[in-house]
Amino acid sequence: MSAPQIIIEQQSQLNSPIEVDGAVYVAAQNGEIIQYKDEQSKTFFHVASQPHSIKMDNKNKVFYVANMARQCIQKFCQEENNDEIIDFINEFEGMPLLGPNSILLSPKNNMVFFTDSGPFGETAIDNCKGSLFAADLENLTCKALALYCLSFPSGICMGNDEKTIYLCETGKNRILRFVQANAGIYYFSVYIQFQGRFGPMACAVSSSDLLYVARYEFAQVTEDGLISVYNQNGINIDNIILPQYPELTGMTFSVLQPGVLYITENSQKGKCLKLNVTPPDKKDKDKFK
């Protein structure tokens, strides 16, 4: 495996890489949404406060932003002739959000899912008040899939069938799995319990349904980053070591190049890395130990 390539580097912390039409976007803590395209990076648009996660509805050209400091989900439409960013979701049943962490779009279900963790440390294991919410983009209703019971819920991703959601519960060092049953009801349980390192911060599912988990650790503790790979049986089939990149915060697979991961890391400066991994179909996804 080749060494990761730095494609974006900023003084500000970076999170939530996504790829749209061959361009890579990341959210910077200083409010910038940065675009990397044709080996050049630029500020694509700016968000007041602290964007922590971004997703794009490519069909409708709408960006959704998890703004942790403003405690809301925002949206920004590229095709409108103004720069207005609208507060889209800012409460649940009359209670303000703690501060959204990560967003997930499901075109098949016409839903946006998001974790609500508050700032780092606010929903630690002595204050498990984080949540996972789902909002219907058609009728704008919001429901809780896990309400005020999670310890710093952070990254989320979805299986390719769009019926399974994986959630990084960083404060308890584990992955939760939500499975959609009949009538749109989700049931969840502990899927992977880790030992060692601070906790999972981001996850992504490959084209062959392998789950990649970015396991965050403080730079004061270790110099190496770690991405663990799991098959559909929840069995660890690989571990990817990233020397000098321990504070992994975001991760996504390339749409155009399925064997490429884009990763954000913040141990010194904010960085977005491009990593070529073993093509997913080369892994033994049915392996048991």
Side-chain angles (χ1 to χ4, degrees):
M1 183 182 300
S2 60
Q5 172 193 356
I6 299 174
I7 61 173
I8 300 173
E9 189 169 26
Q10 299 280 320
Q11 292 295 334
S12 182
Q13 291 191 354
L14 301 180
N15 295 288
S16 184
I18 62 171
E19 184 194 70
V20 181
D21 294 336
V24 178
Y25 300 84
V26 295
Q29 195 174 43
N30 64 5
E32 294 180 342
I33 306 301
I34 301 169
Q35 181 196 67
Y36 176 83
K37 188 176 183 180
D38 299 327
E39 300 185 356
Q40 300 288 329
S41 62
K42 67 176 183 179
T43 299
F44 189 67
F45 65 95
H46 193 277
V47 178
S49 271
Q50 190 183 92
H52 202 270
S53 178
I54 53 174
K55 285 292 183 289
M56 184 179 178
D57 177 353
N58 198 28
K59 179 181 177 181
N60 298 312
K61 304 298 181 185
V62 175
F63 270 94
Y64 293 91
V65 181
N67 194 319
M68 186 170 287
R70 284 182 62 89
Q71 298 173 265
C72 66
I73 301 294
Q74 300 174 299
K75 68 177 183 178
F76 168 75
C77 185
Q78 283 185 282
E79 295 186 341
E80 295 177 359
N81 295 320
N82 59 64
D83 296 328
E84 184 180 9
I85 299 174
I86 301 169
D87 289 356
F88 180 55
I89 302 169
N90 58 14
E91 55 89 21
F92 177 73
E93 295 184 347
M95 296 292 292
L97 300 178
L98 300 175
N101 187 304
S102 295
I103 307 176
L104 173 65
L105 288 180
S106 174
K108 182 178 179 180
N109 298 311
N110 199 31
M111 302 280 286
V112 57
F113 301 85
F114 63 95
T115 53
D116 187 35
S117 67
F120 193 61
E122 181 172 320
T123 52
I125 55 175
D126 61 346
N127 185 40
C128 299
K129 299 295 184 181
S131 303
L132 173 64
F133 294 108
D136 190 306
L137 295 176
E138 184 174 349
N139 58 32
L140 303 183
T141 57
C142 188
K143 64 181 180 180
L145 303 188
L147 184 62
Y148 308 145
C149 61
L150 303 178
S151 178
F152 200 75
S154 53
I156 48 176
C157 66
M158 183 169 276
N160 294 319
D161 62 359
E162 298 194 27
K163 293 183 179 180
T164 304
I165 297 170
Y166 300 97
L167 181 149
C168 298
E169 191 179 11
T170 308
K172 291 191 175 179
N173 202 11
R174 63 188 184 182
I175 298 291
L176 304 181
R177 185 183 66 172
F178 293 73
V179 178
Q180 184 182 22
N182 295 331
I185 298 173
Y186 284 85
Y187 297 92
F188 71 100
S189 63
V190 176
Y191 186 61
I192 301 167
Q193 179 66 64
F194 297 108
Q195 293 182 330
R197 308 187 76 87
F198 184 74
M201 195 73 79
C203 53
V205 172
S206 74
S207 58
S208 55
D209 271 322
L210 297 179
L211 177 65
Y212 285 65
V213 182
R215 300 174 60 187
Y216 181 95
E217 184 58 284
F218 297 102
Q220 296 92 326
V221 177
T222 182
E223 295 182 351
D224 295 337
L226 175 62
I227 297 173
S228 296
V229 185
Y230 292 81
N231 64 18
Q232 290 180 326
N233 297 308
I235 304 300
N236 181 212
I237 60 172
D238 199 9
N239 290 291
I240 301 169
I241 305 298
L242 298 176
Q244 301 180 18
Y245 299 124
E247 298 187 1
L248 306 175
T249 60
M251 184 167 60
T252 191
F253 273 98
S254 167
V255 178
L256 300 180
Q257 304 174 75
V260 168
L261 269 175
Y262 294 107
I263 306 160
T264 48
E265 197 275 342
N266 292 305
S267 58
Q268 296 180 10
K269 296 180 179 180
K271 295 173 286 292
C272 182
L273 311 172
K274 179 180 179 181
L275 177 68
N276 291 299
V277 297
T278 302
D281 57 359
K282 299 293 185 182
K283 299 282 186 185
D284 183 3
K285 68 178 185 178
D286 295 320
K287 178 179 177 181
F288 282 92
K289 290 185 178 179

